[in-house]
Amino acid sequence: MGTRRIFLKRAGFSTLALSLPFAETLSAMNFERDDKILRVAIMGLGSYGTRVAEAMVNCQRAKLVGVISGTPSKVETWKQKYGIPDKNCYHYDNFDQIKDNPDIDAVYVITPNSLHKPYSIRVAKAGKHVICEKPMALNAAEGQEMVAACKAAGVHLLVGYRMHFEAKTQEVVRQQRAGEFGETLFFQGLSGFRIGDPTQWRLNYELAGGGSMMDIGIYSINGARYMLGEEPTWVTAQEVKTDPVKFKENVDETITFQMGFPSGAVASCLSTYSLNNLDKFFLNGTKGFAEMQPSTGYGPIKAWTNKGPVEAEHITHQTTQMDEMAAIILDGKKPMIPVDGEEGLKDLVIIDAIYKAVKTGEKVMIS
């Protein structure tokens, strides 16, 4: 059987074979147990789920083996495109049955924000590792429930922080930790784009839990933390809304926010759904600086310091992310920048504080 699999792979028959009568047999062969491969089902087959699936084609340690969706036509398309067998296809009502499916190790939850907590907890209770898109939940209380549920189930909870594995980002963080910029006292994070379709779920408070802060703004929050290497102790924030029709109550259009850190460092950040060309990090220290633009887009990332350009090969972020997450789950690898549930929870605590600061107009302390 191993010889047949190698022959089919080398002959390039995978796509053709799936349209033939023995497609189910071929799929079963492809998904045989391999303790060195993390076998993943994707939940939510929208644009980002599609991006992850396409990136996983080139993974060495992670393989797409299942889907969970409420849209039968998408399931059918993915089955044909990725050779996924019927027994690994679920909908939102019955995916708890994955507990009886040994072919699936982990589920990547890529749904609207409000569904992250309930679906992740169901996955954990089914005994499967959880990979959840960011923000991990709607607030810190929900995030804590997720962390507790995954610990109780004995499964990993990882968050889709793809930038934590990006090579140029890691090099800048390495230099900062090595003291090459001296004492880093200032960070600027600009995160935003002009959002389109006003009917999309990202502008629906019940689904998104907010607006730009619950989507693009988290990049500046998270970036400040890993670029400065500290956790903030206070935040202040201000909101600007120019289009109350598109950005309804509790759906933030633009928030500027500031964070203070134990060392005395400060971060000045912007989160917006109204301006393009905002994807920039700037880190300044007593001996040097680092700048990244674009800093969190799908790439290639561009970075330079006071010493010159930061060079590294561009690899699709989600490909690297999924391979590295496989190493975390299967090998116990410790990443340079954490991607676990506790990391996701820290960002949620800050988001809660930012929203409170917007409403009160006061500095909010973070314990």
Side-chain angles (χ1 to χ4, degrees):
M1 185 174 290
T3 302
R4 186 182 183 200
R5 185 190 304 114
I6 294 170
F7 168 76
L8 289 168
K9 183 175 181 180
R10 289 179 176 172
F13 287 167
S14 57
T15 301
L16 173 61
L18 294 172
S19 65
L20 299 177
F22 59 87
E24 287 295 322
T25 301
L26 176 62
S27 296
M29 291 186 338
N30 285 338
F31 299 144
E32 282 181 343
R33 181 73 191 181
D34 186 340
D35 291 334
K36 295 182 179 180
I37 300 295
L38 183 70
R39 298 165 306 163
V40 180
I42 289 181
M43 174 188 291
L45 311 185
S47 60
Y48 193 70
T50 299
R51 184 180 292 274
V52 172
E54 291 174 351
M56 287 183 68
V57 171
N58 296 315
C59 283
Q60 301 298 310
R61 300 291 310 275
K63 184 176 183 64
L64 173 62
V65 302
V67 293
I68 302 168
S69 174
T71 307
S73 60
K74 289 184 178 180
V75 172
E76 195 60 35
T77 297
W78 282 50
K79 281 171 55 180
Q80 296 300 320
K81 183 173 183 179
Y82 299 107
I84 298 171
D86 286 334
K87 65 185 179 66
N88 289 359
C89 298
Y90 300 87
H91 51 76
Y92 295 122
D93 292 333
N94 75 349
F95 75 82
D96 306 89
Q97 295 174 15
I98 61 173
K99 69 179 185 298
D100 300 317
N101 190 337
D103 290 344
I104 296 173
D105 302 314
V107 175
Y108 196 158
V109 180
I110 310 177
T111 63
N113 301 338
S114 64
L115 300 175
H116 288 179
K117 186 196 82 168
Y119 286 171
S120 293
I121 290 177
R122 284 174 63 183
V123 170
K125 288 182 176 179
K128 306 300 181 180
H129 300 294
V130 179
I131 303 171
C132 183
E133 252 316 294
K134 58 192 177 303
M136 188 174 77
L138 295 182
N139 51 56
E142 285 196 355
Q144 186 59 63
E145 287 184 60
M146 293 169 65
V147 170
C150 289
K151 284 184 177 179
V155 300
H156 284 272
L157 170 59
L158 305 180
V159 186
Y161 290 116
R162 57 186 169 83
M163 301 312 301
H164 292 200
F165 305 109
E166 196 276 325
K168 293 179 183 177
T169 300
Q170 288 195 337
E171 175 56 20
V172 171
V173 171
R174 185 199 66 76
Q175 291 185 34
Q176 189 275 342
R177 292 182 180 180
E180 294 183 27
F181 306 126
E183 188 179 3
T184 47
L185 295 173
F186 178 74
F187 172 84
Q188 181 187 48
L190 305 178
S191 300
F193 62 92
R194 192 169 180 83
I195 200 166
D197 181 9
T199 65
Q200 63 181 282
W201 71 263
R202 288 177 178 82
L203 297 177
N204 182 327
Y205 176 71
E206 296 300 320
L207 293 175
S212 67
M213 185 60 63
M214 296 298 289
D215 180 17
I216 193 69
I218 194 172
Y219 283 100
S220 281
I221 294 172
N222 194 250
R225 292 176 50 239
Y226 63 67
M227 293 280 273
L228 288 168
E230 295 184 83
E231 298 301 327
T233 56
W234 59 261
V235 303
T236 54
Q238 307 78 37
E239 181 179 7
V240 176
K241 187 171 291 192
T242 65
D243 187 348
V245 176
K246 187 174 186 178
F247 302 99
K248 297 178 174 58
E249 185 178 4
N250 296 318
V251 177
D252 48 286
E253 176 184 351
T254 300
I255 293 179
T256 56
F257 60 99
Q258 303 76 41
M259 296 183 284
F261 296 80
S263 67
V266 293
S268 177
C269 304
L270 172 70
S271 166
T272 186
Y273 267 160
S274 291
L275 292 168
N276 290 325
N277 306 310
L278 287 175
D279 183 8
K280 179 180 179 180
F281 285 175
F282 176 69
L283 180 69
N284 201 14
T286 55
K287 294 181 180 179
F289 71 87
E291 191 164 0
M292 306 176 74
Q293 188 175 18
S295 57
T296 62
Y298 294 136
I301 298 302
K302 294 182 179 179
W304 58 96
T305 73
N306 51 293
K307 296 179 181 179
V310 176
E311 303 290 353
E313 178 186 4
H314 171 66
I315 301 174
T316 300
H317 298 170
Q318 294 81 4
T319 302
T320 303
Q321 172 195 325
M322 296 308 295
D323 274 342
E324 289 295 318
M325 286 185 167
I328 292 169
I329 292 172
L330 300 177
D331 305 337
K333 183 177 180 179
K334 301 297 183 183
M336 173 187 287
I337 311 170
V339 292
D340 55 23
E342 284 78 6
E343 175 77 0
L345 182 58
K346 289 176 182 177
D347 282 341
L348 293 172
V349 169
I350 298 169
I351 289 175
D352 286 352
I354 289 171
Y355 279 137
K356 183 177 180 180
V358 165
K359 290 181 178 179
T360 65
E362 299 176 352
K363 177 187 287 187
V364 176
M365 304 306 295
I366 301 174
S367 57

